[in-house]
Amino acid sequence: MMNWRGAIKRVLKWSAIAVTTVIVIIIAAVGLCVWVLTPARLTPIVRDVASEAVPGVEVGLARAELTFWSTFPRLYIDLDSLSLADRAFPLADDRTVIRLGHLHGGVDIPALLTGAYRVYDVELSGLSVNTRSNLSGLVSADTTATPSATPLILPEFSINRFEIKDSLVMNYRHKADSLYMNLTVRPSRVLSGTDDGYDVDLRSNVTYGPVR
């Protein structure tokens, strides 16, 4: 008669060994990537991937850095001086759509392996969004990625904190109608609360008038 109890113990033992081995390999692989991908090597990779993801947009990035060992099991990324410029505009001043002085944020690696996106401690500073329309009607924020025929399936997502450290400035200029609009979001934050809700602290003001 087969010893079912012994067989189950062996299965559980080797299952635990397999899971542990996979976890160790993943940690080692991520740690190796963080060690190999120094800011000098990581920055051009991030810049190139972002440029390929959004056709027609020129991506500028001064520095990208990963942090893992001191924040395990969360992987953090820091981006400095990120800019997105629309190549369709001939004038340099009209091209830049987004400027971001600094971004800091992290993701939970074990959750990511299960397909869940648990994001932590997102901080933005020096963020501005500029859209403008020239006399031909071309709008500098019209550039988008090529639409996909595949249905969009949203993964599990959560965030514990999202904070605008200084301000978010959004400008819109329409030369044909001589119209200018501005939305400024002051230092604000979104914090995860109880019962799967969020606490929001948002301060902003809107101005509009003749084009500047």
Side-chain angles (χ1 to χ4, degrees):
M1 183 176 181
M2 178 178 282
N3 185 351
W4 288 104
R5 183 175 297 179
I8 292 174
K9 284 184 177 180
R10 284 193 296 272
V11 171
L12 292 177
K13 173 185 176 181
W14 284 104
S15 297
I17 292 174
V19 171
T20 302
T21 303
V22 170
I23 292 175
V24 169
I25 292 174
I26 292 173
I27 292 175
V30 173
L32 181 62
C33 288
V34 173
W35 179 70
V36 172
L37 293 178
T38 62
R41 294 177 178 175
L42 179 64
T43 300
I45 294 176
V46 174
R47 189 164 50 228
D48 293 343
V49 169
S51 297
E52 292 177 2
V54 189
V57 171
E58 181 179 325
V59 179
L61 180 63
R63 179 182 173 88
E65 183 174 6
L66 295 175
T67 305
F68 180 66
W69 291 115
S70 61
T71 57
F72 177 81
R74 299 174 186 172
L75 175 68
Y76 279 85
I77 187 169
D78 287 88
L79 303 179
D80 290 330
S81 300
L82 173 67
S83 64
L84 304 180
D86 190 344
R87 291 194 177 101
F89 270 66
L91 298 178
D93 290 342
D94 290 339
R95 295 177 63 193
T96 302
V97 177
I98 295 177
R99 285 190 179 92
L100 177 61
H102 183 75
L103 178 145
H104 172 81
V107 62
D108 187 279
I109 294 298
L112 192 62
L113 297 176
T114 66
Y117 291 80
R118 295 179 185 171
V119 180
Y120 293 87
D121 307 322
V122 176
E123 298 176 353
L124 303 178
S125 60
L127 177 60
S128 64
V129 179
N130 297 289
T131 60
R132 60 183 74 204
S133 175
N134 61 18
L135 295 178
S136 66
L138 186 64
V139 178
S140 64
D142 281 346
T143 301
T144 56
T146 304
S148 173
T150 305
L152 178 62
I153 301 176
L154 297 178
E156 179 185 341
F157 178 86
S158 65
I159 183 171
N160 74 324
R161 181 170 64 91
F162 176 89
E163 186 170 357
I164 299 174
K165 300 295 289 184
D166 44 16
S167 63
L168 162 60
V169 180
M170 302 180 67
N171 295 308
Y172 174 75
R173 295 174 175 86
H174 195 285
K175 292 183 179 180
D177 295 332
S178 299
L179 176 65
Y180 168 82
M181 297 185 66
N182 166 268
L183 168 64
T184 300
V185 179
R186 304 299 178 186
S188 307
R189 63 171 54 187
V190 177
L191 301 174
S192 61
T194 57
D195 301 326
D196 296 325
Y198 290 90
D199 297 325
V200 180
D201 178 15
L202 179 65
R203 289 166 284 173
S204 64
N205 63 276
V206 178
T207 60
Y208 65 93
V211 66
R212 301 179 183 179

